Amino acid sequence: MLEDQNPMTGFRTLEQAFSQGFRMKRVPFTDDIFIEKDIALGAERYTYARLKKLKVQQIVVLNGNQPLNDLPCFCLFYGTLEELRGKGLTVSFIEKILEQFKKDLHKRYGKEYYIEALIETDNEASLAIAAKLFGEPSHDGVDERSGVPTRVWQYKVTR
């Protein structure tokens, strides 16, 4: 995984931006979940963060990718603050964000799209989370940018 794709880099980048006055938009009907939409790696990116004051607790990023089976595809990246890991919070947070993403994703993308998770094969915790979210992986591969072996989940969503 490249540094700019690493969710923990996202933690640091957001907190640095917060220290300089940047603020994310609160997701309606939530107290602690915020969103920022922008362009990254040449595609739309949706960054969701659970914040405690201006401290990032959890993050989910969905970044546009090449179409998959002629449908839009978004790469999923996620992270949880180290001291919150192992408490059963990550899967439920990602599930909540994936439901929110269905609402936030512009209608021009249509009713169906893919979520793709590429997890480095040595990241056992993230592999377990992806398996809980999506079941069996689609296949194994190698990350094009970093050359690192990955396990890949490609999950079709209908909204």
Side-chain angles (χ1 to χ4, degrees):
M1 174 184 314
L2 296 176
E3 191 62 22
D4 61 352
Q5 295 174 313
N6 186 333
M8 302 320 288
T9 301
F11 274 59
R12 289 187 301 275
T13 302
L14 278 176
E15 289 179 359
Q16 181 181 14
F18 293 152
S19 73
Q20 297 170 1
F22 171 78
R23 297 297 181 263
M24 298 173 78
K25 179 182 171 189
R26 187 177 57 79
V27 171
F29 308 108
T30 68
D31 293 326
D32 60 352
I33 300 174
F34 295 78
I35 183 173
E36 178 67 19
K37 298 178 198 175
D38 63 0
I39 302 293
L41 302 173
E44 284 190 82
R45 175 175 62 183
Y46 293 71
T47 301
Y48 296 88
R50 173 169 278 150
L51 304 177
K52 186 175 184 179
K53 302 204 184 228
L54 294 177
K55 177 90 170 138
V56 179
Q57 306 294 295
Q58 294 176 289
I59 192 168
V60 170
V61 178
L62 292 135
N63 205 145
N65 196 10
Q66 297 297 319
L68 179 62
N69 299 325
D70 295 321
L71 291 174
C73 182
F74 295 86
C75 285
L76 171 69
F77 304 95
Y78 49 85
T80 296
L81 193 63
E82 194 166 346
E83 55 260 32
L84 298 176
R85 294 177 189 167
K87 297 183 179 188
L89 302 172
T90 302
V91 170
S92 62
F93 180 65
I94 296 170
E95 289 173 335
K96 184 174 189 168
I97 295 308
L98 291 176
E99 282 302 311
Q100 183 64 42
F101 182 66
K102 284 183 188 178
K103 299 173 194 171
D104 294 339
L105 184 63
H106 197 280
K107 301 296 181 222
R108 74 175 173 274
Y109 287 104
K111 293 185 185 270
E112 295 181 317
Y113 58 91
Y114 279 91
I115 299 295
E116 183 175 60
L118 289 85
I119 311 296
E120 294 176 1
T121 56
D122 64 350
N123 187 338
E124 291 184 27
S126 286
L127 290 169
I129 288 167
K132 286 180 187 175
L133 289 166
F134 307 119
E136 290 296 316
S138 303
H139 60 275
D140 285 352
V142 175
D143 184 279
E144 293 173 0
R145 296 176 190 254
S146 67
V148 174
T150 60
R151 189 141 298 137
V152 181
W153 282 261
Q154 295 171 326
Y155 182 77
K156 188 175 181 181
V157 176
T158 302
R159 55 179 172 164

